[in-house]
């Protein structure tokens, strides 16, 4: 009996081990495929021109140089673009954090006649192609003399983004009504209840929305393209686009600028990773 | 019984003194509270959606160049679309991207999610790395892939040369520009993969173990255990992905760029997507009416395709009842 057991066990364990190794390699390869272009970006940024234009290409620079970064700062007003982008992203986060939880609260925890129709409106607006509203919105902002300002990029965030409203609403549904009821019974005003009970409880969902909003605003291309035409107002997206269009492509400085542009998003991503991965699935499942 | 009375009595007692005893004022009060909290979105809806939707529907029946007020032309814009070769070209380009892009992204996302669901060391790091490209600014992704796909100095052709394949001039050859755009899109499939991963984690492990004991191979385990569980998520992903590809703009716009502010659309207009042509009509040619008609056509096409997918979904989506 015992003999049979050991002989039957060994091959199975070995098979099990090789399977683990195979899986480890497959997952590592998958991650490498996705990471590889970013490694190319990083290495190109540190390469000398002769090194960049070598065929076949090499991943590691033969000679490391910071010239590309110096040139990028020299040729592209990166600091100004950076300031502009930070301002827009910051204001968008502020708007999202102020408005979306308010609306989500009206959808999830205030018992009133309008909550069902409102939810349907929120969901419907999530499905409308942005192209439909693009032209009239441009004309409105143009009529208000607000093109070439950040208002068209910022104001919508203060009016609530359907996706984030829905996400925070889903989160609030799980908050027990008793907590809110108790505060109301203690005679707290509705806004006080919201500010002291609901907001702190909803913090994970709000942080998730803020992180997503940061990355969206940071990487947005279409809206700056449509609304900003004065170079001094450009965000990094538009600045880089203009740089590429105006010069015979200098890949070194371009990749250096790309590295600088990507870095803040990566840092925020790494800090808020668990919120990110949680937020990506919110609303998709169930 | 007693509990309800007690709590309702408390609630009555807690009611503000001036509000009277009837039900109506309280209801009105809660409506006011609801409206107050929802106010940002209500304003946003009117300003960002309701008015623009109505306006763009109206513009789509007008000739409107931004400098003169809109002039009613009835269905002219829609008729013009029918006779506009470039319109059809952009629609065909977008259809090709969608037809190849959607199944590829769904397939890769599902396969990748399987790998990310295996118990290997450092799994959280691998998940983060796969998601990472999704947060890279699209401008950066576009230029980076232009560089990767460079015929002479790029890594893609270098890797192909390992297999004895001489890679094409991806962005100069109209036959290869669409795969180039799809590469960039597939690179950012991490978000979809993570959603699939979350779905896979809901599958009870016992099911796989039972299937394995029954001698079910990898394919049988996929069709009998995995697919039924993830098919509702797949429906969601397919629709979101179709909508995404039908509206694709920034990726081809950046990859086709030649000179600043020039309406570049790639060799033989092979990279001109529907949304790119719409943008050009609106903001380069200032044909706001025509562009609005294109926007509504896009909306109807998106709606029709989504409804068709939904209608077929009864055949392949398992709702958990079996």
């Amino acid at each position: 009996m015992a003999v049979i057991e050991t002989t039957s066990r060994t091959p199975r364990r070995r098979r099990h081990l090789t399977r683990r190794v195979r899986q480890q390699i497959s997952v590592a390869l998958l991650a490498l495929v996705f990471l590889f272009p970013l490694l190319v970006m990083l290495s190109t940024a540190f390469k000398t021109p002769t090194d960049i234009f070598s065929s076949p290409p090499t991943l590691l620079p033969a000679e490391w140089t910071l010239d590309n970064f110096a040139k990028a700062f020299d040729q592209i007003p990166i600091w100004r673009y950076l300031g502009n982008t930070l301002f827009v992203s910051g204001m968008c986060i502020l708007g999202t954090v102020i408005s979306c939880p308010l609306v989500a609260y009206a959808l999830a925890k205030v018992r009133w006649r309008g909550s069902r129709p409102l939810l349907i409106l929120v969901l419907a607006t999530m499905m409308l192609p942005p192209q439909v509203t693009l032209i009239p919105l441009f004309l409105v902002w143009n009529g208000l003399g607000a093109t070439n300002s950040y208002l068209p990029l910022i104001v919508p965030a203060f009016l609530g983004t359907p996706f984030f409203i829905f996400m925070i609403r889903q989160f609030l549904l799980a908050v027990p009504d008793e907590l809110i009821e108790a505060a109301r019974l203690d005679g707290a005003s509705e806004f006080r209840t919201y500010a002291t009970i609901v907001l702190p409880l909803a913090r994970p969902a709000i942080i998730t929305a803020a992180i997503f909003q940061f990355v969206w605003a940071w990487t947005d291309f279409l809206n700056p393209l449509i609304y900003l035409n004065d170079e001094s107002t450009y965000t990094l997206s538009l600045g880089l686009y203009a740089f590429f269009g105006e010069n015979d492509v200098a890949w070194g400085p371009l990749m250096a600028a790309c590295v600088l542009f990507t870095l803040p998003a990566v840092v925020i991503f790494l800090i808020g990773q668990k919120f990110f991965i949680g937020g990506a699935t919110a609303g998709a499942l169930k | 019984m007693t509990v309800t009375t007690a709590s309702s009595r408390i609630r009555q007692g807690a009611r503000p003194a001036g509000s009277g005893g009837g039900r109506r004022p309280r209801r009105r009060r809660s409506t006011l509270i609801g409206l107050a909290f929802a106010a940002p979105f209500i304003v946003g809806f009117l300003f960002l959606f309701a008015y623009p939707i109505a306006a763009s529907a109206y513009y789509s029946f007008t000739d409107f160049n931004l400098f003169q007020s809109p002039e009613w032309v009835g269905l002219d814009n829609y008729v013009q679309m029918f006779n506009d070769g470039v319109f059809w070209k952009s629609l065909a380009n977008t259809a090709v991207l969608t037809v190849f892009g959607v199944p590829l992204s769904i397939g890769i996302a599902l396969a990748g999610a399987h790998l990310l669901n295996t118990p290997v060391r450092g799994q959280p790091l691998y998940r983060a790395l796969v998601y990472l490209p999704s947060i890279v600014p699209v401008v950066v992704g576009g230029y980076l892939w232009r560089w990767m796909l460079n015929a002479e100095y790029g890594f893609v052709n270098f890797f192909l040369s390992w297999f004895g394949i001489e890679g094409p001039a991806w962005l100069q050859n109209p036959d290869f520009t669409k795969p180039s755009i799809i590469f960039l899109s597939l690179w950012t499939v991490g978000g979809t993969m993570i959603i699939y991963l979350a779905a896979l984690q809901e599958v009870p492990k016992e099911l796989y173990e039972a299937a394995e004991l029954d001698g079910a191979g990898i394919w049988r385990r996929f069709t009998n255990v995995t697919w039924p569980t993830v098919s509702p998520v797949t429906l969601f992903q397919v629709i979101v992905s179709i909508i995404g590809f039908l509206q694709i703009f920034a990726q081809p716009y950046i990859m086709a760029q030649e000179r600043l502010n020039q309406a570049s659309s790639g060799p033989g207009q092979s990279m001109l997507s529907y949304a790119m042509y719409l943008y050009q009509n609106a903001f380069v040619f200032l044909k706001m009416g025509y562009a609005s008609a294109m926007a509504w056509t896009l909306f109807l096409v998106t709606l029709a395709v989504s409804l068709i997918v939904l209608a077929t979904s009864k055949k392949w989506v398992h709702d958990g009842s079996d």
Side-chain angles (χ1 to χ4, degrees), chain A:
Chain A
M1 201 48 187
V3 177
I4 295 170
E5 209 179 325
T6 41
T7 48
S8 72
R9 215 185 215 174
T10 333
R12 195 197 286 167
R13 185 175 287 169
R14 189 177 300 151
R15 213 190 309 145
H16 186 67
L17 259 180
T18 52
R19 190 191 190 181
R20 285 292 289 271
V21 171
R22 216 169 52 223
Q23 283 175 339
Q24 187 82 45
I25 293 172
S26 315
V27 178
L29 270 179
L30 177 79
L32 185 65
V33 168
F34 281 84
L35 185 65
F36 191 79
L38 292 174
L39 295 178
V40 171
M41 172 170 86
L42 208 57
S43 88
T44 310
F46 290 101
K47 279 180 177 175
T48 58
T50 42
D51 209 4
I52 289 171
F53 296 104
S54 78
S55 184
T58 54
L59 189 54
L60 286 180
E63 190 189 335
W64 294 76
T65 172
L66 287 171
D67 270 9
N68 295 321
F69 289 90
K71 275 193 194 130
F73 276 104
D74 210 37
Q75 294 166 3
I76 315 170
I78 287 182
W79 289 115
R80 195 199 304 149
Y81 295 162
L82 192 72
N84 295 345
T85 316
L86 272 176
F87 176 73
V88 171
S89 312
M91 291 301 278
C92 284
I93 291 176
L94 187 68
T96 295
V97 166
I98 291 175
S99 65
C100 294
L102 280 172
V103 185
Y105 181 67
L107 282 173
K109 292 297 171 194
V110 181
R111 232 170 279 146
W112 63 302
R113 260 181 301 173
S115 73
R116 185 104 204 131
L118 189 68
L119 179 65
I120 293 169
L121 274 189
V122 168
L123 291 175
T125 50
M126 274 166 75
M127 290 163 195
L128 191 80
Q131 283 84 359
V132 170
T133 54
L134 190 70
I135 292 163
L137 271 180
F138 173 79
L139 295 170
V140 169
W141 288 117
N142 195 37
L144 293 171
T147 47
N148 228 10
S149 82
Y150 298 127
L151 288 175
L153 311 185
I154 290 168
V155 170
F158 281 86
L159 299 178
T161 310
F163 177 72
F164 299 139
I165 293 173
F166 184 67
M167 196 178 82
I168 300 171
R169 181 240 181 205
Q170 296 300 90
F171 184 88
L172 283 182
L173 287 181
V175 170
D177 278 333
E178 287 78 21
L179 284 171
I180 297 164
E181 236 11 85
R184 283 180 188 151
L185 286 179
D186 284 346
S189 73
E190 198 67 25
F191 186 76
R192 219 186 125 88
T193 309
Y194 166 79
T196 57
I197 309 286
V198 178
L199 274 188
L201 282 172
R203 198 151 54 194
I206 296 172
I207 295 174
T208 308
I211 292 174
F212 265 87
Q213 178 66 73
F214 172 79
V215 173
W216 284 6
W218 184 261
T219 61
D220 188 15
F221 177 67
L222 181 60
N223 285 306
L225 178 70
I226 288 171
Y227 289 109
L228 307 177
N229 17 27
D230 183 345
E231 209 189 324
S232 65
T233 63
Y234 282 0
T235 58
L236 275 163
S237 279
L238 211 51
L240 226 53
Y241 179 78
F243 175 73
F244 190 93
E246 276 163 3
N247 297 273
D248 282 330
V249 184
W251 284 103
L254 181 75
M255 285 296 132
C258 284
V259 168
L260 294 170
F261 188 13
T262 310
L263 220 52
V266 170
V267 169
I268 294 277
F269 169 71
L270 293 177
I271 293 171
Q273 216 198 99
K274 67 174 179 192
F275 294 108
F276 235 99
I277 292 189
T281 56
L285 303 171
K286 271 275 156 85

Side-chain angles (χ1 to χ4, degrees), chain B residues 88-286:
Chain B
W88 288 109
K89 178 78 187 166
S90 74
L91 189 62
N93 288 339
T94 308
V96 169
L97 292 175
T98 310
V99 165
F100 288 95
V102 172
L104 279 170
S105 20
I106 300 286
I108 290 175
L110 188 51
H114 264 97
L115 285 176
L116 292 180
N117 198 29
T118 51
V120 303
R121 281 157 159 267
Q123 192 60 283
L125 175 71
Y126 293 125
R127 287 174 189 166
L129 289 180
V130 168
Y131 195 94
L132 200 56
S134 312
I135 58 151
V136 171
V138 62
V139 177
V140 171
Y143 294 142
L144 180 50
W145 275 92
R146 284 177 79 137
W147 182 231
M148 292 279 298
L149 291 165
N150 186 292
E152 242 178 297
Y153 311 109
F155 269 98
V156 174
N157 281 0
F158 173 59
F159 289 140
L160 286 176
S161 73
W162 287 359
F163 304 97
I165 301 167
E166 198 189 327
W170 293 90
L171 294 161
Q172 281 77 48
N173 183 336
D175 292 337
F176 290 96
T177 49
K178 286 183 193 69
S180 305
I181 298 166
I182 291 175
F183 280 143
L184 173 57
S185 305
L186 293 178
W187 187 50
T188 58
V189 84
T192 313
M193 213 179 278
I194 295 296
I195 293 172
Y196 264 132
L197 175 63
L200 288 178
Q201 283 171 346
E202 308 260 298
V203 183
K205 282 221 171 61
E206 299 79 49
L207 279 179
Y208 284 115
E209 281 161 13
E212 211 166 335
L213 281 178
D214 289 346
I218 189 162
W219 178 247
R220 290 274 300 187
R221 265 177 284 159
F222 175 77
T223 53
N224 290 351
V225 182
T226 308
W227 182 251
T229 324
V230 300
S231 61
V233 180
T234 303
L235 175 62
F236 171 85
Q237 301 285 23
V238 166
I239 290 183
V240 168
S241 180
I242 287 176
I243 292 175
F245 271 101
L246 287 180
Q247 293 174 5
I248 197 165
F249 173 79
Q251 291 92 332
Y253 190 82
I254 290 158
M255 287 185 108
Q257 183 189 14
E258 280 160 31
R259 280 274 170 266
L260 190 64
N261 295 332
Q262 250 185 20
S264 317
S265 49
Q269 292 186 317
S270 60
M271 294 166 96
L272 183 68
S273 79
Y274 191 97
M276 267 168 82
Y277 188 48
L278 192 161
Y279 168 87
Q280 285 180 3
N281 272 301
F283 300 104
V284 181
F285 315 140
L286 298 181

